[in-house]
Each structure stands twice: as structure tokens, then as C-alpha cells.
Amino acid sequence: MGVVNVTPDSFSDGGHYYSAEQAIEHAKKLIDEGADILDIGGESTRPGSVSVSIEEELDRVIPVLQAITGSDIPISIDTSKAEVMRHAIESGATIINDINALQAPDTLQTVASNNHVSVCLMHMQGSPINMQANPKYIDIVTEVKKFLQERINTAKAAGISQERLIIDPGFGFGKTLQHNLELLQHLDSFTDLGVPILAGLSRKSMLGAITGNDVNNRIHESIAAALLAVIKGARIVRVHDVKETREALAIYHAMHHHTEV
Ligand code: YH5
């Protein structure tokens, strides 16, 4: 899954993909690099960021969605708002990537009533504005798993079938470095929830905390993290560097699918 930010304060991209035009160019580049999914986001969710209005989010993402609908790959919309979900679906999005796991008003119903749409349910402690202030868990793996199980149950009860669900432990969302490492080490323990696992580690602070590299120089860390996540059971990795990640994962797949001679 390739990341396409349409946010002015997107530090990962230095704001370079703020304009719809530039976001569309970037989306096309990621498609050329072999992305299987594109994730379009109009609201920054980095630590400390505040939410934007529905109108602002729609102004950012809808032109991009309209321009890339018709490419052969599924389009995901990174949003927590029901109204943005509805418009994005009308503009061709078939995956809802919700860091708030369908807890906002009307979001469960919106996804439930669009049968062809899948949804990624992500774990977060707190909200982007305060989540890194003082993350606390007694047993992070158990607590994140319990939350995701509850959201799966709630989604199914609302009429969203299990085949439409994806789960994500939410690396960096209300977690210390130690919390993130424990989640990565035990990512395989989420497989028994019975839905595909998505992992987003690309360029995140936890990687820089290990190597000391700044956000625009974390490509090797990001590739290592994506490979580890896949080895630990992730079926989808959300990444900025599609070409490089695909090349690394090609080695994993070659090993995994090789046949003895
Ligand atoms: C995710 O994990 N993450 S946006 C901080 C960075 C670099 C990147 C300090 N949306 C996820 O990518 N959706 C985001 O450097 C996501 N899973 C899902 N499902 C944060 C991000 C980032 C934050």
C-alpha cells in the first residue's frame, strides 16, 4: 500500500504533495512502481496534529480520488469522518482506512451500507493531538488485541462481514518505542483474529529513535521494518517507498515460494 499525502503540513513529504496536482503525480509514480493499493489521506495524523474540517479534507482528497479512479488498483481513503467516507466511496474508493476504527458517529453504518467496501480498523491510544504524551499499557499485545477483537465484533454486528475487515495495531499511535517493538515482535499473535493484518511502520519516529536518522532518511529502516512485519504475518504494508519495498519483499517471496529441485 503506497502512501499519498494531500496535506500541507506533511513533514514526511515536506509538503511537496499538498496540491492535488502534485498528489496525483505522486500517485501515478507509486502505481508505476508497483503499488497494489494507494492510500489517500487529507488529514495529517502525525503526533501533535489537529483535525481539519470536513470541507477542507474533501477539498484535498476528492480531486485526487477522481483523477486516479480508473487505475487498476484499489484506492483506500485515510479518514475517520463518515461524510468524507461517503464522498470518497462515490469517487471510487473501495477501502476505508480509519485510524479511529469506526468509532466516530455514523461511520459503522456508512461502511455497512456499502457492501463492496473494505475497512481497516486501527488501534490508537488517545488522539493524534495527545497520543505520544504518556502512553501506558500493562500488557500492550493483550490490550491491542482485545481492542481489535471488540472492533471486529462491533463491525460484524453492524452488518460488515468478516471478509471486508482488515486490522492494524497502529504503530506509533499512542505507543513508546518499547511498545512498538513489542507489538512488532508479537505481530503474529494477531493472525488468529481471522482477518488480514496491515502494518504501517514506514519512516516513523520509532525507526529514527533506533538509528538516529531524520524522517527523510529512513528508507533502509523502513524496508527492514516492512520485511519484519511481513515475516511476522502482515498481509499489507503501508509504505512511502514502494519500489524499494517491493524489491526487498521479492526476496522474501522467492524464498517462501521456492520449490526443491
Ligand atoms: C498506520 O500505521 N499511519 S499516518 C510519523 C512519521 C512518519 C509517518 C515521524 N496512517 C498509519 O505514516 N493508517 C498513518 O514520522 C495509517 N496504519 C494505518 N492503517 C502516520 C505516518 C507517519 C507518522
Side-chain angles (χ1 to χ4, degrees), residues 115-251:
N115 259 302
H116 65 293
V117 170
S118 298
V119 60
C120 179
L121 306 167
M122 198 195 79
H123 174 273
M124 168 167 56
Q125 186 179 90
S127 65
I129 197 157
N130 66 10
M131 64 189 178
Q132 291 306 106
N134 192 19
K136 281 228 175 327
Y137 302 85
I138 295 169
D139 175 352
I140 185 160
V141 174
T142 304
E143 289 169 50
V144 170
K145 191 168 175 179
K146 185 170 169 235
F147 171 84
L148 293 174
Q149 179 67 262
E150 187 277 320
R151 296 316 297 162
I152 291 170
N153 294 346
T154 299
K156 287 165 77 172
I160 308 170
S161 61
Q162 182 158 326
E163 302 74 49
R164 298 167 60 194
L165 301 176
I166 299 162
I167 51 166
D168 182 341
F171 290 103
F173 286 86
K175 284 126 188 152
T176 64
L177 172 61
Q178 290 307 316
H179 292 141
N180 287 313
L181 293 173
E182 191 156 341
L183 276 178
L184 182 56
Q185 186 170 18
H186 297 286
L187 195 64
D188 50 356
S189 74
F190 293 90
T191 53
D192 64 11
L193 292 173
V195 305
I197 298 166
L198 186 156
L201 292 145
S202 184
R203 298 188 186 177
K204 285 189 177 173
S205 299
M206 63 176 283
L207 305 178
I210 297 166
T211 62
N213 288 334
D214 66 46
V215 66
N216 289 310
N217 290 292
R218 294 177 185 161
I219 187 164
H220 305 103
E221 298 89 324
S222 297
I223 292 165
L227 176 58
L228 285 169
V230 169
I231 290 170
K232 291 286 187 179
R235 294 293 306 276
I236 304 170
V237 281
R238 182 180 177 279
V239 306
H240 298 83
D241 304 289
V242 168
K243 177 174 182 286
E244 294 83 353
T245 308
R246 280 198 76 99
E247 288 173 354
L249 292 178
I251 309 306

Side-chain angles (χ1 to χ4, degrees), residues 1-5 26-27 30-31 33-41 73-74 76 236-242:
M1 169 187 272
V3 179
V4 179
N5 289 315
H26 189 62
L30 297 186
I31 293 171
E33 291 183 2
D36 294 315
I37 303 170
L38 287 185
D39 186 43
I40 315 299
I73 61 170
S76 160
I236 304 170
V237 281
R238 182 180 177 279
V239 306
H240 298 83
D241 304 289
V242 168

